[in-house]
Amino acid sequence: MLDVTLVPCLSDNYAYLLRDPATGECAVVDPSEAEPVLAALAAMQLRPTMVLNTHHHHDHVGGNEALAAAFPGLRVIAHASDQGRVPAQTGAVADGDRVALGGTSLRVLHVPGHTLGAVTYASDDAAFTGDTLFLGGCGRLFEGDAAMMYASLQRIAEALDPATRVFCGHEYTANNLRFIAALEPDNAAVRDALADAERLRADDRPTVPKSLRDELRLNPFLRCDDPAVEAAVGVSGDPVAVFAALRARRNNW
Ligand code: ZN
Ligand code: FE
C-alpha cells in the first residue's frame, strides 16, 4: 500500500508526501507552500525525487521553486499543457502515462474541467485528485464546461477500484456534506457522513482520505443519474444538465 502523509498547508489545502513501500522513494503532491512541506520532509528524514502537480493554481504549486532549490535534481511533473504555468516544471505527462515512484506505478488521468491541464495521479490504492474530485463535491469550472467536468468525474469513477483512497486538494468535506444534506434532507447516509466529518473537524483531524466507494454513494456530482439528485435539482434525463444545475446550486449556496 502506498504510504501517504498529509501536510496541511495554507488555510485548507493538503500537500501529500508519498513513500513507495518497496524502495522508500518519496514524492510530493501539490506543495502549496514550501515551509510545512520542508518541515514534514525533515521530520520524516525524507528526500523527495519528484513533485507531482495536479494543476497550475498557486495554492497547489506555490512551494515548487523552493523545493527545487532545496533538492537539486528534483523532477517537477505536470500536464503537458501546463508547461509555462507550473513553476520549475521539468516533466510533462499526458493521459494514460505512468509515473514510476520506486515500485509504485502512478497512472495519469487527464481530467480537464476545473482547469484544462488538470490531472489525477492514481496508484492501485490511492488517487490524488487535486481540485477535480473533492470529498462530497467537485472543483469549480474555471476553464472547462459542465460536459467536460462531468466526463472527467466519470472517468475517475470508472478508472479506479472502489476501494481506492481519495486524497483531494482541499479540506472542504464538512461544508460539501452540509450542502448535500440541504439538497437531500432525507438521505440518512449523508447525515451520518456529515456527523462524522463534523466530529473529525471539531478535533482538528482531517476527513481525508475516504474511499471512492463512499464518494459514489454520497457525492451528488457522481450521482447525476440518481433520481434523488434529479428530483433535488429539478432536471432529469440528461446527466450533464443535472451536473450543470447541481454545480450552479453549489456556486450559489
Ligand atoms: Zn485549483
Ligand atoms: Fe485549490
Side-chain angles (χ1 to χ4, degrees):
M1 183 147 106
L2 181 62
D3 182 40
V4 182
T5 301
L6 280 67
V7 183
C9 291
L10 304 173
S11 58
D12 52 30
N13 279 82
Y14 289 122
Y16 298 104
L17 309 187
L18 280 47
R19 201 167 40 164
D20 169 50
T23 62
E25 188 175 343
C26 169
V28 180
V29 173
D30 282 358
S32 314
E33 52 178 344
E35 210 173 275
V37 173
L38 288 169
L41 289 166
M44 297 177 69
Q45 297 187 298
L46 291 173
R47 193 184 167 80
T49 57
M50 63 185 164
V51 164
L52 299 169
N53 289 129
T54 60
H55 64 296
H56 76 281
H57 283 161
H58 187 73
D59 61 313
H60 299 259
V61 304
N64 279 12
E65 301 273 17
L67 286 178
F71 303 106
L74 185 76
R75 296 159 63 205
V76 176
I77 292 168
H79 191 255
S81 69
D82 268 347
Q83 236 153 4
R85 42 184 209 172
V86 168
Q89 184 174 354
T90 64
V93 290
D95 189 65
D97 285 357
R98 287 188 173 265
V99 178
L101 178 71
T104 301
S105 177
L106 294 155
R107 249 167 104 187
V108 176
L109 305 177
H110 182 212
V111 285
H114 176 67
T115 65
L116 293 179
V119 293
T120 283
Y121 300 95
S123 73
D124 289 343
D125 54 42
F128 301 89
T129 57
D131 291 357
T132 300
L133 175 64
F134 292 128
L135 300 185
C138 73
R140 285 174 185 264
L141 308 181
F142 284 123
E143 297 178 5
D145 61 14
M148 194 183 263
M149 187 62 144
Y150 179 73
S152 291
L153 292 172
Q154 287 299 115
R155 177 90 203 288
I156 290 172
E158 283 158 18
L160 306 181
D161 186 278
T164 306
R165 294 167 291 161
V166 175
F167 296 90
C168 55
H170 291 265
E171 180 59 80
Y172 289 161
T173 315
N175 205 36
N176 285 340
L177 286 163
R178 273 178 219 118
F179 168 73
I180 313 170
L183 190 77
E184 297 175 85
D186 298 332
N187 191 327
V190 168
R191 275 204 306 275
D192 290 349
L194 174 57
D196 286 347
E198 287 181 330
R199 204 172 306 123
L200 287 167
R201 295 309 296 150
D203 293 341
D204 207 24
R205 287 160 63 195
T207 62
V208 177
K210 294 217 297 187
S211 69
L212 177 64
R213 184 178 291 111
D214 282 339
E215 287 311 294
L216 293 170
R217 198 165 54 95
L218 300 169
N219 190 327
F221 295 97
L222 297 176
R223 293 188 287 120
C224 290
D225 55 355
D226 180 337
V229 174
E230 291 181 333
V233 297
V235 179
S236 63
D238 174 6
V240 172
V242 173
F243 175 87
L246 196 54
R247 186 61 257 177
R249 282 226 189 181
R250 183 65 181 82
N251 291 349
N252 296 323
W253 187 65

